[in-house]
Amino acid sequence: MPPKGEAKRQRIIDTANALFYERGYGRTSLADIAQACGIPKGNFYFHFKTKDDILAAVVAGRVARLRDRLAAWEREIARPVDRLVRLSEMIVRDGADIVRHGCPTGSLATELGKEGNANLARPLFREMLDWSEAQFAALAGADAAPDLARRMLVRLQGASVLAHAFRDPAWLAEEQAAVAAWLRGL
Amino acid sequence: MPPKGEAKRQRIIDTANALFYERGYGRTSLADIAQACGIPKGNFYFHFKTKDDILAAVVAGRVARLRDRLAAWEREIARPVDRLVRLSEMIVRDGADIVRHGCPTGSLATELGKEGNANLARPLFREMLDWSEAQFAALAGADAAPDLARRMLVRLQGASVLAHAFRDPAWLAEEQAAVAAWLRGL
DNA sequence: GTCTATAGACAGATAGAC
DNA sequence: GTCTATCTGTCTATAGAC
């Protein structure tokens, strides 16, 4: 059975995760998280030493969830091409959030990159990239796979940036359709 | 003849422009700008009402410079396809900065989008988009032009995000080469 | 005296850390 | 809840040009 403080710790992480996404890391204060959690801010430092520690926990949680989702697709979807199409569809399904707040991974990487912490968001891209590469390897051979995986991620990220900047989900729908057509033509 | 304070005002804008790009808008304080300019903080509010006003002036300056550059390419480069290739080459020429700080326009749009100010960075994308669309119209017809311009901008933005996140200019060089090949095949 | 510009101290709010 | 640092923005004093 989990330690007693574990639930509260998880609630802090979940709340911070949502706020970091919506407002950005730098613009989210510990007081904001405390208020949204309904806990006194003094209790933070029982669970986390610094704000950066909370960020690290948030990113670790995101990586774990992404990994689970990708593994599920690998179990549930038979053909590699369909798995990749499914990945591309994420930007449409999450379109409303992306229009409002950008891609969770991309916007975090962009913000952290301006400080010294670019490396923190990188595992999320890594995870997506490695998984895509495995699918492309089954689809078009191991030689072409790295390049294809990068090209796909570039397009999904670019569409997210512009959909966010213009507050227009059409960027996402159009690019997803183009990516899916490209995948099916490989 | 220009007012006396014009030169200093311009120096503030130029300094702010560089710092906003390097550190981000939110993480750049007026004290930072003041120190980099060598002027006292109190003097800011003679030239600008708020920090947002400085940002507006910075963006206006960037728009003007971008417009000049695009107009120059239109004068100096004969074929529309070569103009578009020239635009794509920007991410390679500015590659060192993009790897360190991201795309100036994209990272600003991503940051401001998290607050309410997404519209502030939009004119920069608009400018690029309209100009590209005009080139594509001459290249592939007015019907296809809007979509082609968007697809190109998506790829340049995506490559910038990932080059920044991974601190690796290869993302830029590879995507630029792919975009140029695509342009020449249209 | 008045306009433009400079200069720096100061206030109020809020940040992270403990 | 307290501490210290720092943020944006304001206030007043001042210097020279005309």
Side-chain angles (χ1 to χ4, degrees):
Chain A
M1 129 177 155
K4 194 181 159 198
E6 198 61 30
K8 183 165 285 187
R9 188 188 141 93
Q10 192 57 48
R11 218 173 68 220
I12 293 175
I13 295 174
D14 292 340
T15 306
N17 182 42
L19 289 177
F20 288 169
Y21 177 39
E22 292 163 18
R23 309 184 191 178
Y25 175 68
R27 294 178 53 84
T28 302
S29 74
L30 297 179
D32 291 335
I33 303 173
Q35 193 189 9
C37 279
I39 65 170
K41 51 176 185 165
N43 284 34
F44 268 122
Y45 291 87
F46 174 75
H47 298 284
F48 304 97
K49 268 193 249 304
T50 69
K51 192 185 173 188
D52 276 334
D53 280 5
I54 302 182
L55 176 60
V58 163
V59 171
R62 286 197 199 179
V63 170
R65 237 173 321 153
L66 175 61
R67 190 170 300 171
D68 286 350
R69 195 177 314 181
L70 294 174
W73 291 345
E74 207 147 6
R75 279 197 315 273
E76 298 161 7
I77 305 175
R79 299 165 55 211
V81 61
D82 292 329
R83 294 175 187 157
L84 289 164
V85 169
R86 181 65 188 79
L87 175 61
S88 77
E89 286 169 352
M90 245 178 53
I91 65 171
V92 176
R93 296 199 188 197
D94 299 342
D97 289 331
I98 293 173
V99 162
R100 262 189 304 230
H101 312 115
C103 165
T105 305
S107 62
L108 185 65
T110 296
E111 179 176 4
L112 297 181
K114 299 258 178 184
E115 341 182 359
N117 296 341
N119 51 310
L120 248 172
R122 222 173 285 164
L124 283 158
F125 279 137
R126 240 308 130 235
E127 198 73 30
M128 241 179 296
L129 211 51
D130 290 345
W131 184 86
S132 302
E133 206 174 306
Q135 310 310 316
F136 276 115
L139 190 67
D143 287 352
D147 195 57
L148 293 172
R150 288 155 90 106
R151 299 269 287 279
M152 174 159 166
L153 194 52
V154 159
R155 294 174 70 170
L156 299 181
Q157 280 301 309
S160 296
V161 169
L162 287 154
H164 183 213
F166 283 103
R167 296 263 187 271
D168 182 1
W171 288 86
L172 301 169
E174 285 173 19
E175 195 63 28
Q176 190 278 326
V179 166
W182 168 68
L183 287 170
R184 297 213 162 89
L186 281 176
Chain B
M1 128 175 154
K4 195 183 160 197
E6 200 60 30
K8 183 164 282 189
R9 188 189 141 94
Q10 192 57 49
R11 218 174 69 221
I12 294 174
I13 294 175
D14 292 341
T15 307
N17 182 41
L19 290 177
F20 289 168
Y21 177 40
E22 292 163 18
R23 308 184 192 179
Y25 175 68
R27 294 178 52 85
T28 303
S29 73
L30 296 178
D32 291 334
I33 304 173
Q35 194 189 9
C37 278
I39 66 169
K41 314 179 290 182
N43 207 291
F44 270 120
Y45 293 88
F46 175 77
H47 297 282
F48 303 96
K49 266 193 253 303
T50 67
K51 191 185 173 189
D52 276 334
D53 278 8
I54 302 181
L55 176 59
V58 164
V59 172
R62 287 197 197 178
V63 170
R65 237 174 322 157
L66 175 60
R67 190 170 299 171
D68 286 350
R69 194 177 316 179
L70 294 174
W73 291 344
E74 207 147 4
R75 280 196 314 274
E76 297 162 7
I77 306 176
R79 298 166 55 213
V81 63
D82 292 328
R83 294 175 187 158
L84 289 164
V85 170
R86 182 65 188 79
L87 175 61
S88 77
E89 285 169 353
M90 244 179 53
I91 65 171
V92 175
R93 298 201 188 196
D94 299 342
D97 290 330
I98 292 173
V99 162
R100 262 189 304 229
H101 311 116
C103 165
T105 305
S107 62
L108 185 65
T110 296
E111 180 177 2
L112 297 183
K114 299 258 180 185
E115 340 183 358
N117 296 341
N119 50 308
L120 248 171
R122 221 172 285 165
L124 283 159
F125 279 137
R126 241 308 128 236
E127 198 74 30
M128 240 178 297
L129 211 51
D130 289 345
W131 184 86
S132 302
E133 205 173 307
Q135 310 310 317
F136 276 115
L139 191 66
D143 287 352
D147 195 56
L148 293 171
R150 288 156 90 107
R151 299 269 287 278
M152 174 159 167
L153 193 53
V154 159
R155 294 173 71 171
L156 299 180
Q157 279 302 307
S160 297
V161 168
L162 286 155
H164 182 214
F166 283 102
R167 297 263 188 269
D168 181 1
W171 288 87
L172 300 168
E174 287 173 19
E175 195 63 29
Q176 190 278 324
V179 166
W182 168 68
L183 287 171
R184 296 212 163 90
L186 281 176

